[in-house]
């Protein structure tokens, strides 16, 4: 699949434990945008918190409040406030259970001092220092201490019902989640923190927000890569084309993800994007080309072969023959497709190909070759590349998204351990069991060609209507 959009959760994903965006992530986002890939966030945070990242990172879209409030840098494209009656019920419930609560408005979370501190940069930084086994104890102690000095006045929250409420956050333990869901069947209840639950409208989620973003920008879920680490990322990671779990994610997140990368403190985002060939990480011992497609193929060979050649060299005759075999097989497949299934036409095309090979051999042997073997090999390969581009030009087909699809299909042959596996007898690269279902390129190539055909038809209609 050609990735057309990438989405990041924020806490524990886009941000490291110091609540900063790593330099490698900054650079990765710039490279994605240079390739025309849509880049956004999908988060439980509100728009006021997200806005600085949208501006500073040049993001295209923000899916905030778990899909309840979606906007680009210049336009709100979807809002879905929770009904006032349900907000009222949750406030009453929180008051009865003595649970701190905050309401998410367009301008931010309002209400609990505990939640306000917990969702602040300082609070998030402190929580990252607490061992998991101590989270409950520390959380209870902190909550009781803060309440002694600043008890929450839930009555004041009712005045906020005059404006739209997009999300409700309530302090609650993980064990109480099931009970809370039973109390509010008409609300979606999820968690993005070990200390609290989030309430949003039933039927909304991060992935539903991504679907809406796709309708706006023109991509579908199979063309999306998403990163996350928390429970409210589960549906998103399992529903997009490629779901990436951060190294710091819970085990259940990692279990359903397509790939687990390094942590949010260890360049996890950049490493995953590099693994799938969307960017290339710098390496002082390796050269990279300005040709992005070359670098993607190089990444694949690095994983399969364990190394790549960094110094220009010639192919010996036998090795050159192997490379030519690969190309001839593709040429024969090209001729078969051109025959449209007619066996007689295909057989004649193959016979013509034999004649063309014999003719070319005589031509090459008849002329002088003052160039070195290295120059001769490179000249021939560049001509092949140029002729291939020319074939696409004459077909009226844009090869870039199709190349990306084939590249991702090849990268899909890399197993979850990050290595290629080989048949012990034939030494061919093996495919994971789910490769055909998830990475087979033909259906995705068809979808892309259908898109290009429709786009060309629209252009033609626009010209004729003028």
């Amino acid at each position: 699949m050609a990735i057309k959009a990438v989405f990041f959760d924020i806490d524990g994903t886009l941000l490291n434990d110091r609540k900063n965006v790593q330099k490698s992530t900054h650079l990765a986002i710039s490279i994605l945008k240079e390739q025309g890939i849509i880049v956004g966030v999908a988060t439980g945070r509100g728009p006021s918190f997200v806005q600085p990242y949208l501006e500073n990172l040049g993001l295209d879209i923000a899916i905030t409040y778990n899909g309840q409030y979606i906007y680009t840098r210049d336009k709100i494209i979807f809002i879905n406030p929770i009904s006032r009656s349900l907000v009222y019920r949750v406030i009453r419930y929180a008051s009865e259970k003595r649970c701190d609560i905050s309401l998410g408005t367009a301008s931010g979370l309002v209400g609990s001092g505990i939640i306000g501190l917990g969702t602040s940069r300082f609070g998030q930084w402190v929580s990252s220092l607490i061992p998991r086994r101590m989270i409950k104890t520390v959380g209870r102690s902190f909550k009781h201490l803060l309440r002694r000095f600043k008890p929450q006045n839930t009555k004041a929250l009712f005045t906020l019902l005059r404006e739209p409420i997009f999300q409700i956050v309530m302090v609650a333990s993980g064990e109480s989640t099931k009970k809370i869901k039973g109390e509010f069947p008409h609300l979606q209840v999820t968690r993005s923190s070990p200390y609290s639950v989030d309430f949003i409208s039933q039927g909304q989620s991060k992935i539903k927000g991504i679907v809406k973003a796709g309708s706006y920008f023109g991509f579908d879920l199979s063309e999306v890569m998403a990163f996350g680490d928390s429970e409210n990322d589960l549906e998103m990671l399992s529903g997009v084309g490629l779901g990436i779990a951060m190294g710091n994610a819970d085990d259940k997140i990692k279990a359903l993800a397509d790939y687990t990368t390094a942590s949010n403190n260890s360049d996890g985002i950049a490493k995953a994007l590099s693994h799938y060939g969307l960017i290339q990480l710098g390496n002082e011992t390796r050269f990279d080309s300005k040709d992005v497609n070359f670098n993607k193929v190089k990444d694949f060979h690095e994983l399969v072969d364990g190394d790549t050649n960094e110094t220009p060299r010639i192919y010996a005759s036998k090795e050159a023959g192997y490379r030519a075999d690969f190309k001839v097989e593709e040429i024969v497949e090209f001729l078969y497709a051109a025959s449209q299934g007619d066996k007689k036409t295909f057989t004649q095309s193959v016979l013509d190909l034999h004649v063309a090979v014999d003719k070319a051999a005589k031509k090459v042997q008849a002329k002088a070759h003052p160039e070195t073997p290295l120059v001769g090999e490179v000249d021939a390969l560049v001509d092949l590349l140029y002729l291939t581009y020319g074939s696409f030009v004459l077909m009226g087909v844009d090869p870039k998204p199709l190349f990306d699809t084939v590249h991702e299909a090849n990268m899909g042959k890399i197993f979850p351990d990050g290595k290629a596996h080989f048949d012990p007898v034939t030494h061919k690269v093996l495919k994971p069991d789910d490769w055909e279902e998830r990475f087979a390129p033909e259906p995705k190539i068809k979808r892309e060609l259908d898109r290009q055909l429709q786009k060309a038809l629209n252009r033609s209609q626009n010209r004729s209507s003028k």
Side-chain angles (χ1 to χ4, degrees):
M1 80 209 78
I3 296 298
K4 295 183 179 179
V6 177
F7 285 89
F8 307 108
D9 170 50
I10 290 185
D11 297 296
T13 302
L14 184 65
L15 302 182
N16 63 14
D17 288 348
R18 293 181 176 273
K19 299 304 156 189
N20 295 318
V21 178
Q22 293 196 295
K23 288 182 179 179
S24 63
T25 304
H26 268 280
L27 179 60
I29 290 172
S30 298
I31 295 171
L32 291 176
K33 289 183 64 58
E34 285 173 5
Q35 297 180 59
I37 294 173
I38 301 299
V39 185
V41 291
T43 177
R45 295 280 198 167
S48 62
F49 181 91
V50 172
Q51 187 59 31
Y53 299 105
L54 203 71
E55 294 174 357
N56 295 338
L57 297 174
L59 302 180
D60 299 293
I61 189 166
I63 296 167
T64 66
Y65 285 143
N66 290 304
Q68 293 272 92
Y69 193 113
I70 306 173
Y71 68 104
T72 67
R73 276 181 283 172
D74 55 9
K75 184 179 181 181
I76 297 172
I77 65 173
F78 177 78
I79 57 172
N80 185 50
I82 303 172
S83 73
R84 285 191 174 89
S85 61
L86 286 173
V87 177
Y88 180 85
R89 279 190 56 205
V90 177
I91 295 173
R92 291 293 300 270
Y93 178 86
S95 179
E96 291 168 5
K97 301 296 182 182
R98 293 178 55 80
C99 295
D100 278 59
I101 190 172
S102 285
L103 304 182
T105 69
S107 57
L109 275 178
V110 182
S112 167
I114 295 172
I115 294 172
L117 182 59
T119 56
S120 68
R121 286 175 177 261
F122 174 75
Q124 292 286 306
W125 176 75
V126 170
S127 69
S128 71
L129 303 178
I130 301 171
R132 285 182 179 269
R133 67 180 185 277
M134 296 180 64
I135 282 176
K136 293 179 186 176
T137 304
V138 173
R140 281 195 298 268
S141 301
F142 175 73
K143 183 170 66 176
H144 292 317
L145 180 65
L146 188 61
R147 272 185 173 158
R148 288 183 62 185
F149 293 99
K150 191 178 180 181
Q152 183 174 24
N153 177 12
T154 53
K155 290 182 180 179
L157 293 175
F158 290 113
T159 61
L160 286 174
L161 294 181
R162 298 170 190 158
E163 58 183 299
I165 305 299
F166 299 97
Q167 181 167 274
I168 307 168
V169 181
M170 185 171 72
V171 174
S173 65
E175 292 84 353
S176 64
T177 307
K178 186 175 180 180
K179 183 179 179 182
I180 293 169
K181 287 182 177 179
E183 292 283 343
F184 298 97
H186 300 299
L187 287 171
Q188 187 82 14
V189 180
T190 187
R191 303 187 74 91
S192 55
S193 161
Y195 308 108
S196 61
V197 293
D198 300 336
F199 297 85
I200 58 174
S201 299
Q202 191 64 262
Q204 298 302 316
S205 64
K206 289 185 179 183
I207 197 164
K208 296 289 176 58
I210 292 175
V211 170
K212 291 180 176 64
S215 297
Y216 184 79
F217 283 107
F219 59 81
D220 60 43
L221 287 179
S222 68
E223 299 167 319
V224 174
M225 176 187 283
F227 291 74
D229 72 307
S230 299
E231 182 182 311
N232 67 341
D233 298 318
L234 279 167
E235 185 186 18
M236 175 175 73
L237 298 190
S238 61
V240 298
L242 288 172
I244 312 299
M246 303 302 292
N248 48 288
D250 293 336
D251 288 341
K252 62 182 177 182
I253 309 295
K254 294 176 181 178
L256 63 78
D258 297 301
Y259 179 74
T260 297
T261 186
S263 77
N264 61 327
N265 296 318
S266 303
D267 305 311
I269 286 175
K271 287 175 180 176
L273 291 170
S274 176
H275 174 80
Y276 283 102
L278 294 178
I279 68 169
Q280 283 74 47
L281 291 178
N283 186 333
E284 292 181 358
T285 64
R286 140 182 171 153
F287 82 87
D288 283 324
S289 170
K290 290 182 180 180
D291 183 338
V292 174
N293 289 345
F294 171 90
N295 294 334
K296 289 181 178 181
V297 176
K298 189 168 185 176
D299 286 339
F300 174 71
H301 277 277
E302 199 163 40
L303 286 168
V304 172
D305 302 330
D307 199 5
T308 53
N309 199 67
E310 302 302 314
T311 304
R313 67 173 181 92
I314 66 167
Y315 282 106
S317 180
K318 192 171 184 179
E319 188 182 7
Y322 292 146
R323 301 306 303 176
D325 281 351
F326 299 146
K327 295 177 179 67
V328 167
E329 183 178 346
E330 299 307 324
I331 290 170
V332 172
E333 284 191 11
F334 174 75
L335 293 175
Y336 180 81
S339 74
Q340 300 182 45
D342 185 287
K343 290 185 178 180
K344 186 176 179 181
T345 302
F346 175 60
T347 300
Q348 185 59 51
S349 294
V350 174
L351 290 173
D352 291 343
L353 179 61
H354 283 291
V355 172
V357 170
D358 292 339
K359 180 181 176 182
K362 290 178 181 178
K363 180 180 178 181
V364 167
Q365 288 177 325
K367 68 178 184 179
H369 292 278
E371 74 274 10
T372 65
L374 179 61
V375 171
E377 288 184 355
V378 169
D379 178 58
L381 289 173
V382 171
D383 284 345
L384 272 172
L385 194 61
Y386 202 93
L387 287 167
T388 300
Y389 273 118
S391 297
F392 278 116
V393 170
L394 296 175
M395 290 178 83
V397 171
D398 176 5
K400 178 63 169 65
L402 304 171
F403 179 93
D404 290 343
T405 293
V406 172
H407 172 65
E408 285 167 17
N410 283 329
M411 293 299 280
K413 296 174 185 176
I414 306 303
F415 281 68
D417 61 5
K419 299 177 182 177
H421 293 187
F422 300 89
D423 185 286
V425 178
T426 65
H427 301 292
K428 287 186 176 180
V429 177
L430 297 173
K431 300 172 183 175
D433 291 339
D434 61 350
W435 184 90
E436 199 69 36
E437 178 187 347
R438 294 184 52 232
F439 293 106
E442 290 83 3
K444 293 159 189 170
I445 288 174
K446 182 182 183 305
R447 281 203 302 271
E448 173 58 25
L449 288 174
D450 287 345
R451 187 193 69 81
Q452 292 191 25
L453 284 165
Q454 185 60 51
K455 193 172 181 180
L457 182 61
N458 293 340
R459 285 197 303 267
S460 177
Q461 290 173 342
N462 289 338
R463 282 196 299 269
S464 62
S465 63
K466 290 181 179 179

